[in-house]
Amino acid sequence: MARYFLARFLGLAMVLLATSFLVFSAIHLAPGDPVTFLLKGHPATPEAKAAVRAQYHLDDPFLSQYAQWLGDVCAGDFGRSVQFRQDVGALIASRLPTTLFLIGYAALLIVLAGVLLGIVAALRPGFVDRFVLIGTGVATATPSFVASIGLVSVFSVKLGWFPTFGGGQGFAGRVEHLTLPAVALAFTLSGLLARVTRSSMLDELAREHVEVARARGVAETDVVRRHVLRNALGPIVTVVGTMIAGLLVTTSIVETAFSVPGVGGLLVSSVNVKDFPVVQAVTLLTVAAFVLVNLVVDLLQPLVDPRLSPTGRGAS
Amino acid sequence: MAFLEIDELTVRLPQGRAARPILDGVSLRVGEGESVGLVGESGSGKSVACRSVLGLLPEGAAVSGAVRVGGRDVLGMRRAELRSLRAREVAMVFQDPRASVNPMRRVGDFLTEGLRAAGTAPAVAARRAVELLEAVGIRDPEGAMRRYPHHFSGGMLQRVVIAAALAGEPSLLLADEPTTALDVTTQAEVIAILTRLQAERGTGMLFVTHDLELAAAVCDRVYVMYAGRIVETQTAAGLFARPRHPYTAGLLASTPRLDPDAGPPKPIPGRPVSLAEAPTGCAFAARCAQVRPECLVEPPALVRADDAYAACFRVDEGIVT
């Protein structure tokens, strides 16, 4: 078991190292010169340009720039933001709670709506099933920015139930401000999860051990809970994991649409102005979160299905 | 009155899914503590007949006739009555233990599930499950309770399934091809355990199989099914000594034998009647060596011939093979 964990964490470190290189080189391959932005509002004299280039090590060879940056990152220093003239780590840290709250909120909505709709559809073939299928089909086909616009125009502008922008303060304020963004994020994905849940449930419903349980006089609700839903969890957990990881990316669209002061919105504005230290840090963070979520999913799978236990002895 | 009585049970699938009924006027009896075999090829309807005893019928099927357990009609039972019947009176052992045990739950959960559904306290159910595991010959029963199905071989898992079936102390055991999915050596062990426990506890058994010899070895009486009908029934010994229906005779002749004088096995020509075909006369006529014109007109009824019953127009003439 310890060997397994060690191997997984080594793998995680390797993935992060490889991505850090890609992230660092990608920003340098992108067109445009950060110096122009850095000098915005100042006369772009050759001396000023040279000073900026020196400050950000822009004239060093590429690999040594990378090594310098990687060393700083490992020490927890992500550099200074070009647009905010502020430490990137502190900048992200101040916005991270809002984003994490939004992602958690959206994930909760996705799981609740998706799993519930999926179960209902699987257990009620016919009209209900078709209704859910059509509804989730529409939801899945709706991009989150379209959902954002629709939600704002109905619930904020027409009905005035929710604010149109901002992140809110305290738990209640956050819930008030982030409900619409969370719904916008959850809309597409809960439709997808409902479909995954439905088909996984249908697969399990057809299994013989389900009929055996019925043939032994087990009540139908227990059959569904202990044999059908329990066994259908594998694909659901995998998909939810991927979705949560994906939310880290999708959130930038929704945060921009609702002007939520989160990490996603920060990424979008930083890309627009070539604020490369911020882009690098946020991208690396996203990749790290992605890999971590996948690791958590992999560690959860043996709890769901004892046959997948890495030691082959079953979870105990 | 027999403990299990199936009377004129006819089961028809919805229009368009089958041309003939899956079960056509099937009647059978299993007395208390009696072992009865139900033999037929795949598709003959033997499993459907077996499941009907638990009130498990194909979805959307039209059903007529009666299934009575202990004098009560199973087909008219409400949900709660059915659950209690399944948990306490009639238990079933299915063909493939790998498929019939939930792979994601512990063996102990599987064993006690039926008892707990019937309202037994968890601790009592667990104690009972350990006793039963011991009775079916599983070593370290306490440890086995905590293990998962994939830690067991097929034969060991079928023992677990048998233990689970006996947990509720049923009066009737339905065994639907309980050894077909196992290898030959394990088959013998599982059959030995099944018949020993059944005899010890005085449990009645309906033993469904495609293997006539196995049925004869395990059972007191045997019913032979063909295309949804009972074509012959008599004692296991009588069946071998003097089969009354040409199909039974054909089944016996097609069994390979070790005896050097026996000659090669003779397969029955043709193939079983599918659900898409609905022959007007005797369903076996197309494969029968002794077919006569009247066989093609209407299906023969089950008639008595000494101690046996057979559904054949030529039952009195004896069979020439």
PDB file of all heavy atoms in Angstrom, chain B residues 108-143:
ATOM      1  N   GLY B 108     -20.533 -11.725   3.936  1.00  0.00           N
ATOM      2  CA  GLY B 108     -21.400 -11.681   5.112  1.00  0.00           C
ATOM      3  C   GLY B 108     -22.673 -10.883   4.852  1.00  0.00           C
ATOM      4  O   GLY B 108     -23.757 -11.271   5.278  1.00  0.00           O
ATOM      5  N   ASP B 109     -22.538  -9.753   4.135  1.00  0.00           N
ATOM      6  CA  ASP B 109     -23.712  -8.943   3.819  1.00  0.00           C
ATOM      7  C   ASP B 109     -24.682  -9.732   2.952  1.00  0.00           C
ATOM      8  O   ASP B 109     -25.891  -9.656   3.123  1.00  0.00           O
ATOM      9  CB  ASP B 109     -23.296  -7.673   3.063  1.00  0.00           C
ATOM     10  CG  ASP B 109     -22.476  -6.742   3.930  1.00  0.00           C
ATOM     11  OD1 ASP B 109     -22.653  -6.807   5.159  1.00  0.00           O
ATOM     12  OD2 ASP B 109     -21.662  -5.983   3.395  1.00  0.00           O
ATOM     13  N   PHE B 110     -24.108 -10.484   2.011  1.00  0.00           N
ATOM     14  CA  PHE B 110     -24.952 -11.289   1.120  1.00  0.00           C
ATOM     15  C   PHE B 110     -25.707 -12.350   1.921  1.00  0.00           C
ATOM     16  O   PHE B 110     -26.910 -12.533   1.742  1.00  0.00           O
ATOM     17  CB  PHE B 110     -24.085 -11.945   0.050  1.00  0.00           C
ATOM     18  CG  PHE B 110     -24.833 -12.905  -0.830  1.00  0.00           C
ATOM     19  CD1 PHE B 110     -25.698 -12.425  -1.797  1.00  0.00           C
ATOM     20  CD2 PHE B 110     -24.680 -14.269  -0.682  1.00  0.00           C
ATOM     21  CE1 PHE B 110     -26.416 -13.304  -2.599  1.00  0.00           C
ATOM     22  CE2 PHE B 110     -25.383 -15.151  -1.477  1.00  0.00           C
ATOM     23  CZ  PHE B 110     -26.252 -14.661  -2.441  1.00  0.00           C
ATOM     24  N   LEU B 111     -24.989 -13.033   2.817  1.00  0.00           N
ATOM     25  CA  LEU B 111     -25.609 -14.125   3.570  1.00  0.00           C
ATOM     26  C   LEU B 111     -26.734 -13.642   4.474  1.00  0.00           C
ATOM     27  O   LEU B 111     -27.760 -14.281   4.603  1.00  0.00           O
ATOM     28  CB  LEU B 111     -24.542 -14.824   4.419  1.00  0.00           C
ATOM     29  CG  LEU B 111     -23.660 -15.808   3.667  1.00  0.00           C
ATOM     30  CD1 LEU B 111     -22.422 -16.121   4.480  1.00  0.00           C
ATOM     31  CD2 LEU B 111     -24.418 -17.088   3.385  1.00  0.00           C
ATOM     32  N   THR B 112     -26.513 -12.499   5.108  1.00  0.00           N
ATOM     33  CA  THR B 112     -27.486 -12.056   6.109  1.00  0.00           C
ATOM     34  C   THR B 112     -28.599 -11.212   5.498  1.00  0.00           C
ATOM     35  O   THR B 112     -29.585 -10.929   6.166  1.00  0.00           O
ATOM     36  CB  THR B 112     -26.787 -11.232   7.208  1.00  0.00           C
ATOM     37  OG1 THR B 112     -26.084 -10.159   6.579  1.00  0.00           O
ATOM     38  CG2 THR B 112     -25.826 -12.082   8.005  1.00  0.00           C
ATOM     39  N   GLU B 113     -28.435 -10.837   4.239  1.00  0.00           N
ATOM     40  CA  GLU B 113     -29.398  -9.906   3.649  1.00  0.00           C
ATOM     41  C   GLU B 113     -30.834 -10.435   3.675  1.00  0.00           C
ATOM     42  O   GLU B 113     -31.768  -9.716   4.030  1.00  0.00           O
ATOM     43  CB  GLU B 113     -28.992  -9.592   2.211  1.00  0.00           C
ATOM     44  CG  GLU B 113     -29.890  -8.562   1.565  1.00  0.00           C
ATOM     45  CD  GLU B 113     -29.294  -7.990   0.302  1.00  0.00           C
ATOM     46  OE1 GLU B 113     -28.718  -8.777  -0.474  1.00  0.00           O
ATOM     47  OE2 GLU B 113     -29.400  -6.779   0.106  1.00  0.00           O
ATOM     48  N   GLY B 114     -30.983 -11.719   3.291  1.00  0.00           N
ATOM     49  CA  GLY B 114     -32.321 -12.297   3.266  1.00  0.00           C
ATOM     50  C   GLY B 114     -32.941 -12.345   4.653  1.00  0.00           C
ATOM     51  O   GLY B 114     -34.101 -11.994   4.839  1.00  0.00           O
ATOM     52  N   LEU B 115     -32.121 -12.729   5.645  1.00  0.00           N
ATOM     53  CA  LEU B 115     -32.620 -12.811   7.017  1.00  0.00           C
ATOM     54  C   LEU B 115     -33.021 -11.443   7.537  1.00  0.00           C
ATOM     55  O   LEU B 115     -34.062 -11.284   8.172  1.00  0.00           O
ATOM     56  CB  LEU B 115     -31.534 -13.394   7.933  1.00  0.00           C
ATOM     57  CG  LEU B 115     -31.325 -14.899   7.862  1.00  0.00           C
ATOM     58  CD1 LEU B 115     -30.173 -15.300   8.749  1.00  0.00           C
ATOM     59  CD2 LEU B 115     -32.589 -15.626   8.281  1.00  0.00           C
ATOM     60  N   ARG B 116     -32.161 -10.448   7.245  1.00  0.00           N
ATOM     61  CA  ARG B 116     -32.467  -9.117   7.753  1.00  0.00           C
ATOM     62  C   ARG B 116     -33.694  -8.554   7.054  1.00  0.00           C
ATOM     63  O   ARG B 116     -34.476  -7.834   7.668  1.00  0.00           O
ATOM     64  CB  ARG B 116     -31.258  -8.195   7.630  1.00  0.00           C
ATOM     65  CG  ARG B 116     -30.273  -8.476   8.774  1.00  0.00           C
ATOM     66  CD  ARG B 116     -29.134  -7.501   8.791  1.00  0.00           C
ATOM     67  NE  ARG B 116     -28.278  -7.728   7.646  1.00  0.00           N
ATOM     68  CZ  ARG B 116     -27.917  -6.783   6.807  1.00  0.00           C
ATOM     69  NH1 ARG B 116     -28.310  -5.556   6.989  1.00  0.00           N
ATOM     70  NH2 ARG B 116     -27.133  -7.080   5.797  1.00  0.00           N
ATOM     71  N   ALA B 117     -33.881  -8.932   5.778  1.00  0.00           N
ATOM     72  CA  ALA B 117     -35.099  -8.499   5.075  1.00  0.00           C
ATOM     73  C   ALA B 117     -36.330  -9.096   5.748  1.00  0.00           C
ATOM     74  O   ALA B 117     -37.403  -8.518   5.735  1.00  0.00           O
ATOM     75  CB  ALA B 117     -35.037  -8.916   3.607  1.00  0.00           C
ATOM     76  N   ALA B 118     -36.141 -10.278   6.369  1.00  0.00           N
ATOM     77  CA  ALA B 118     -37.268 -10.930   7.032  1.00  0.00           C
ATOM     78  C   ALA B 118     -37.403 -10.473   8.476  1.00  0.00           C
ATOM     79  O   ALA B 118     -38.226 -10.990   9.221  1.00  0.00           O
ATOM     80  CB  ALA B 118     -37.089 -12.441   6.976  1.00  0.00           C
ATOM     81  N   GLY B 119     -36.550  -9.525   8.900  1.00  0.00           N
ATOM     82  CA  GLY B 119     -36.719  -8.925  10.212  1.00  0.00           C
ATOM     83  C   GLY B 119     -35.856  -9.532  11.313  1.00  0.00           C
ATOM     84  O   GLY B 119     -36.039  -9.231  12.482  1.00  0.00           O
ATOM     85  N   THR B 120     -34.889 -10.406  10.960  1.00  0.00           N
ATOM     86  CA  THR B 120     -34.010 -10.979  11.983  1.00  0.00           C
ATOM     87  C   THR B 120     -32.988  -9.935  12.438  1.00  0.00           C
ATOM     88  O   THR B 120     -32.498  -9.162  11.625  1.00  0.00           O
ATOM     89  CB  THR B 120     -33.272 -12.203  11.401  1.00  0.00           C
ATOM     90  OG1 THR B 120     -34.224 -13.039  10.770  1.00  0.00           O
ATOM     91  CG2 THR B 120     -32.547 -12.970  12.479  1.00  0.00           C
ATOM     92  N   ALA B 121     -32.670  -9.934  13.734  1.00  0.00           N
ATOM     93  CA  ALA B 121     -31.678  -8.985  14.253  1.00  0.00           C
ATOM     94  C   ALA B 121     -30.315  -9.265  13.622  1.00  0.00           C
ATOM     95  O   ALA B 121     -29.966 -10.427  13.408  1.00  0.00           O
ATOM     96  CB  ALA B 121     -31.588  -9.108  15.767  1.00  0.00           C
ATOM     97  N   PRO B 122     -29.521  -8.215  13.319  1.00  0.00           N
ATOM     98  CA  PRO B 122     -28.237  -8.402  12.637  1.00  0.00           C
ATOM     99  C   PRO B 122     -27.316  -9.409  13.314  1.00  0.00           C
ATOM    100  O   PRO B 122     -26.709 -10.255  12.647  1.00  0.00           O
ATOM    101  CB  PRO B 122     -27.632  -7.006  12.651  1.00  0.00           C
ATOM    102  CG  PRO B 122     -28.789  -6.081  12.753  1.00  0.00           C
ATOM    103  CD  PRO B 122     -29.847  -6.803  13.531  1.00  0.00           C
ATOM    104  N   ALA B 123     -27.214  -9.352  14.650  1.00  0.00           N
ATOM    105  CA  ALA B 123     -26.286 -10.243  15.350  1.00  0.00           C
ATOM    106  C   ALA B 123     -26.733 -11.701  15.204  1.00  0.00           C
ATOM    107  O   ALA B 123     -25.914 -12.593  14.962  1.00  0.00           O
ATOM    108  CB  ALA B 123     -26.202  -9.863  16.827  1.00  0.00           C
ATOM    109  N   VAL B 124     -28.035 -11.932  15.322  1.00  0.00           N
ATOM    110  CA  VAL B 124     -28.569 -13.287  15.171  1.00  0.00           C
ATOM    111  C   VAL B 124     -28.328 -13.784  13.750  1.00  0.00           C
ATOM    112  O   VAL B 124     -27.890 -14.917  13.529  1.00  0.00           O
ATOM    113  CB  VAL B 124     -30.090 -13.300  15.487  1.00  0.00           C
ATOM    114  CG1 VAL B 124     -30.653 -14.695  15.307  1.00  0.00           C
ATOM    115  CG2 VAL B 124     -30.345 -12.782  16.881  1.00  0.00           C
ATOM    116  N   ALA B 125     -28.590 -12.909  12.788  1.00  0.00           N
ATOM    117  CA  ALA B 125     -28.404 -13.272  11.383  1.00  0.00           C
ATOM    118  C   ALA B 125     -26.948 -13.631  11.111  1.00  0.00           C
ATOM    119  O   ALA B 125     -26.655 -14.611  10.418  1.00  0.00           O
ATOM    120  CB  ALA B 125     -28.849 -12.118  10.477  1.00  0.00           C
ATOM    121  N   ALA B 126     -26.018 -12.854  11.690  1.00  0.00           N
ATOM    122  CA  ALA B 126     -24.595 -13.109  11.465  1.00  0.00           C
ATOM    123  C   ALA B 126     -24.192 -14.452  12.061  1.00  0.00           C
ATOM    124  O   ALA B 126     -23.445 -15.228  11.438  1.00  0.00           O
ATOM    125  CB  ALA B 126     -23.760 -11.982  12.074  1.00  0.00           C
ATOM    126  N   ARG B 127     -24.708 -14.759  13.268  1.00  0.00           N
ATOM    127  CA  ARG B 127     -24.363 -16.025  13.904  1.00  0.00           C
ATOM    128  C   ARG B 127     -24.859 -17.186  13.048  1.00  0.00           C
ATOM    129  O   ARG B 127     -24.172 -18.169  12.812  1.00  0.00           O
ATOM    130  CB  ARG B 127     -24.993 -16.079  15.301  1.00  0.00           C
ATOM    131  CG  ARG B 127     -24.160 -16.886  16.272  1.00  0.00           C
ATOM    132  CD  ARG B 127     -24.456 -16.570  17.716  1.00  0.00           C
ATOM    133  NE  ARG B 127     -25.846 -16.402  18.022  1.00  0.00           N
ATOM    134  CZ  ARG B 127     -26.365 -15.304  18.585  1.00  0.00           C
ATOM    135  NH1 ARG B 127     -25.593 -14.294  18.858  1.00  0.00           N
ATOM    136  NH2 ARG B 127     -27.653 -15.232  18.852  1.00  0.00           N
ATOM    137  N   ARG B 128     -26.071 -17.026  12.549  1.00  0.00           N
ATOM    138  CA  ARG B 128     -26.692 -18.058  11.720  1.00  0.00           C
ATOM    139  C   ARG B 128     -25.892 -18.239  10.420  1.00  0.00           C
ATOM    140  O   ARG B 128     -25.667 -19.360   9.965  1.00  0.00           O
ATOM    141  CB  ARG B 128     -28.121 -17.614  11.442  1.00  0.00           C
ATOM    142  CG  ARG B 128     -28.881 -18.473  10.550  1.00  0.00           C
ATOM    143  CD  ARG B 128     -30.261 -18.853  11.129  1.00  0.00           C
ATOM    144  NE  ARG B 128     -30.881 -19.811  10.209  1.00  0.00           N
ATOM    145  CZ  ARG B 128     -30.510 -21.069  10.125  1.00  0.00           C
ATOM    146  NH1 ARG B 128     -29.584 -21.539  10.912  1.00  0.00           N
ATOM    147  NH2 ARG B 128     -31.068 -21.877   9.237  1.00  0.00           N
ATOM    148  N   ALA B 129     -25.431 -17.129   9.855  1.00  0.00           N
ATOM    149  CA  ALA B 129     -24.671 -17.185   8.598  1.00  0.00           C
ATOM    150  C   ALA B 129     -23.372 -17.954   8.807  1.00  0.00           C
ATOM    151  O   ALA B 129     -22.985 -18.776   7.966  1.00  0.00           O
ATOM    152  CB  ALA B 129     -24.392 -15.775   8.098  1.00  0.00           C
ATOM    153  N   VAL B 130     -22.705 -17.726   9.949  1.00  0.00           N
ATOM    154  CA  VAL B 130     -21.453 -18.434  10.230  1.00  0.00           C
ATOM    155  C   VAL B 130     -21.712 -19.945  10.344  1.00  0.00           C
ATOM    156  O   VAL B 130     -20.974 -20.756   9.784  1.00  0.00           O
ATOM    157  CB  VAL B 130     -20.797 -17.883  11.519  1.00  0.00           C
ATOM    158  CG1 VAL B 130     -19.651 -18.766  11.957  1.00  0.00           C
ATOM    159  CG2 VAL B 130     -20.320 -16.456  11.298  1.00  0.00           C
ATOM    160  N   GLU B 131     -22.796 -20.307  11.044  1.00  0.00           N
ATOM    161  CA  GLU B 131     -23.148 -21.732  11.161  1.00  0.00           C
ATOM    162  C   GLU B 131     -23.344 -22.374   9.792  1.00  0.00           C
ATOM    163  O   GLU B 131     -22.859 -23.471   9.517  1.00  0.00           O
ATOM    164  CB  GLU B 131     -24.465 -21.893  11.926  1.00  0.00           C
ATOM    165  CG  GLU B 131     -24.363 -21.721  13.424  1.00  0.00           C
ATOM    166  CD  GLU B 131     -25.754 -21.562  14.045  1.00  0.00           C
ATOM    167  OE1 GLU B 131     -26.749 -22.032  13.440  1.00  0.00           O
ATOM    168  OE2 GLU B 131     -25.820 -20.951  15.117  1.00  0.00           O
ATOM    169  N   LEU B 132     -24.058 -21.624   8.931  1.00  0.00           N
ATOM    170  CA  LEU B 132     -24.360 -22.181   7.611  1.00  0.00           C
ATOM    171  C   LEU B 132     -23.104 -22.317   6.764  1.00  0.00           C
ATOM    172  O   LEU B 132     -22.941 -23.290   6.025  1.00  0.00           O
ATOM    173  CB  LEU B 132     -25.386 -21.301   6.903  1.00  0.00           C
ATOM    174  CG  LEU B 132     -26.815 -21.584   7.370  1.00  0.00           C
ATOM    175  CD1 LEU B 132     -27.723 -20.427   7.045  1.00  0.00           C
ATOM    176  CD2 LEU B 132     -27.320 -22.863   6.705  1.00  0.00           C
ATOM    177  N   LEU B 133     -22.199 -21.336   6.876  1.00  0.00           N
ATOM    178  CA  LEU B 133     -20.950 -21.429   6.116  1.00  0.00           C
ATOM    179  C   LEU B 133     -20.184 -22.667   6.544  1.00  0.00           C
ATOM    180  O   LEU B 133     -19.586 -23.365   5.732  1.00  0.00           O
ATOM    181  CB  LEU B 133     -20.096 -20.181   6.348  1.00  0.00           C
ATOM    182  CG  LEU B 133     -20.513 -18.937   5.579  1.00  0.00           C
ATOM    183  CD1 LEU B 133     -19.594 -17.774   5.922  1.00  0.00           C
ATOM    184  CD2 LEU B 133     -20.482 -19.185   4.081  1.00  0.00           C
ATOM    185  N   GLU B 134     -20.224 -22.947   7.851  1.00  0.00           N
ATOM    186  CA  GLU B 134     -19.574 -24.139   8.363  1.00  0.00           C
ATOM    187  C   GLU B 134     -20.248 -25.381   7.776  1.00  0.00           C
ATOM    188  O   GLU B 134     -19.586 -26.317   7.355  1.00  0.00           O
ATOM    189  CB  GLU B 134     -19.662 -24.152   9.885  1.00  0.00           C
ATOM    190  CG  GLU B 134     -18.398 -24.636  10.526  1.00  0.00           C
ATOM    191  CD  GLU B 134     -18.286 -24.162  11.963  1.00  0.00           C
ATOM    192  OE1 GLU B 134     -19.249 -23.550  12.473  1.00  0.00           O
ATOM    193  OE2 GLU B 134     -17.233 -24.415  12.555  1.00  0.00           O
ATOM    194  N   ALA B 135     -21.578 -25.353   7.738  1.00  0.00           N
ATOM    195  CA  ALA B 135     -22.332 -26.506   7.244  1.00  0.00           C
ATOM    196  C   ALA B 135     -22.057 -26.800   5.769  1.00  0.00           C
ATOM    197  O   ALA B 135     -22.102 -27.947   5.346  1.00  0.00           O
ATOM    198  CB  ALA B 135     -23.831 -26.279   7.463  1.00  0.00           C
ATOM    199  N   VAL B 136     -21.769 -25.759   4.982  1.00  0.00           N
ATOM    200  CA  VAL B 136     -21.490 -26.011   3.564  1.00  0.00           C
ATOM    201  C   VAL B 136     -20.001 -26.223   3.325  1.00  0.00           C
ATOM    202  O   VAL B 136     -19.563 -26.338   2.174  1.00  0.00           O
ATOM    203  CB  VAL B 136     -22.004 -24.882   2.640  1.00  0.00           C
ATOM    204  CG1 VAL B 136     -23.510 -24.790   2.703  1.00  0.00           C
ATOM    205  CG2 VAL B 136     -21.355 -23.559   2.969  1.00  0.00           C
ATOM    206  N   GLY B 137     -19.211 -26.295   4.409  1.00  0.00           N
ATOM    207  CA  GLY B 137     -17.806 -26.662   4.272  1.00  0.00           C
ATOM    208  C   GLY B 137     -16.884 -25.533   3.871  1.00  0.00           C
ATOM    209  O   GLY B 137     -15.916 -25.744   3.136  1.00  0.00           O
ATOM    210  N   ILE B 138     -17.154 -24.325   4.347  1.00  0.00           N
ATOM    211  CA  ILE B 138     -16.225 -23.216   4.096  1.00  0.00           C
ATOM    212  C   ILE B 138     -15.327 -23.102   5.319  1.00  0.00           C
ATOM    213  O   ILE B 138     -15.805 -22.994   6.452  1.00  0.00           O
ATOM    214  CB  ILE B 138     -16.998 -21.894   3.892  1.00  0.00           C
ATOM    215  CG1 ILE B 138     -17.944 -22.047   2.708  1.00  0.00           C
ATOM    216  CG2 ILE B 138     -16.050 -20.719   3.769  1.00  0.00           C
ATOM    217  CD1 ILE B 138     -17.574 -21.323   1.464  1.00  0.00           C
ATOM    218  N   ARG B 139     -14.019 -23.141   5.064  1.00  0.00           N
ATOM    219  CA  ARG B 139     -13.084 -23.010   6.179  1.00  0.00           C
ATOM    220  C   ARG B 139     -13.059 -21.567   6.675  1.00  0.00           C
ATOM    221  O   ARG B 139     -13.298 -20.645   5.904  1.00  0.00           O
ATOM    222  CB  ARG B 139     -11.677 -23.416   5.735  1.00  0.00           C
ATOM    223  CG  ARG B 139     -11.360 -24.878   6.072  1.00  0.00           C
ATOM    224  CD  ARG B 139     -10.100 -25.281   5.353  1.00  0.00           C
ATOM    225  NE  ARG B 139     -10.302 -25.172   3.911  1.00  0.00           N
ATOM    226  CZ  ARG B 139      -9.328 -25.215   3.019  1.00  0.00           C
ATOM    227  NH1 ARG B 139      -8.100 -25.350   3.394  1.00  0.00           N
ATOM    228  NH2 ARG B 139      -9.597 -25.132   1.734  1.00  0.00           N
ATOM    229  N   ASP B 140     -12.732 -21.381   7.940  1.00  0.00           N
ATOM    230  CA  ASP B 140     -12.670 -20.056   8.560  1.00  0.00           C
ATOM    231  C   ASP B 140     -13.917 -19.225   8.221  1.00  0.00           C
ATOM    232  O   ASP B 140     -13.843 -18.193   7.561  1.00  0.00           O
ATOM    233  CB  ASP B 140     -11.401 -19.315   8.083  1.00  0.00           C
ATOM    234  CG  ASP B 140     -11.285 -17.925   8.705  1.00  0.00           C
ATOM    235  OD1 ASP B 140     -11.876 -17.700   9.782  1.00  0.00           O
ATOM    236  OD2 ASP B 140     -10.616 -17.075   8.093  1.00  0.00           O
ATOM    237  N   PRO B 141     -15.089 -19.695   8.666  1.00  0.00           N
ATOM    238  CA  PRO B 141     -16.331 -18.997   8.303  1.00  0.00           C
ATOM    239  C   PRO B 141     -16.372 -17.538   8.763  1.00  0.00           C
ATOM    240  O   PRO B 141     -16.880 -16.688   8.040  1.00  0.00           O
ATOM    241  CB  PRO B 141     -17.431 -19.812   8.984  1.00  0.00           C
ATOM    242  CG  PRO B 141     -16.775 -20.830   9.799  1.00  0.00           C
ATOM    243  CD  PRO B 141     -15.330 -20.910   9.455  1.00  0.00           C
ATOM    244  N   GLU B 142     -15.782 -17.248   9.951  1.00  0.00           N
ATOM    245  CA  GLU B 142     -15.799 -15.855  10.420  1.00  0.00           C
ATOM    246  C   GLU B 142     -15.029 -14.946   9.463  1.00  0.00           C
ATOM    247  O   GLU B 142     -15.461 -13.845   9.149  1.00  0.00           O
ATOM    248  CB  GLU B 142     -15.201 -15.725  11.833  1.00  0.00           C
ATOM    249  CG  GLU B 142     -16.222 -15.880  12.940  1.00  0.00           C
ATOM    250  CD  GLU B 142     -16.153 -17.258  13.564  1.00  0.00           C
ATOM    251  OE1 GLU B 142     -15.244 -18.015  13.181  1.00  0.00           O
ATOM    252  OE2 GLU B 142     -17.010 -17.571  14.420  1.00  0.00           O
ATOM    253  N   GLY B 143     -13.857 -15.461   9.021  1.00  0.00           N
ATOM    254  CA  GLY B 143     -13.058 -14.684   8.074  1.00  0.00           C
ATOM    255  C   GLY B 143     -13.777 -14.535   6.741  1.00  0.00           C
ATOM    256  O   GLY B 143     -13.748 -13.475   6.126  1.00  0.00           O
TER     257      GLY B 143
END
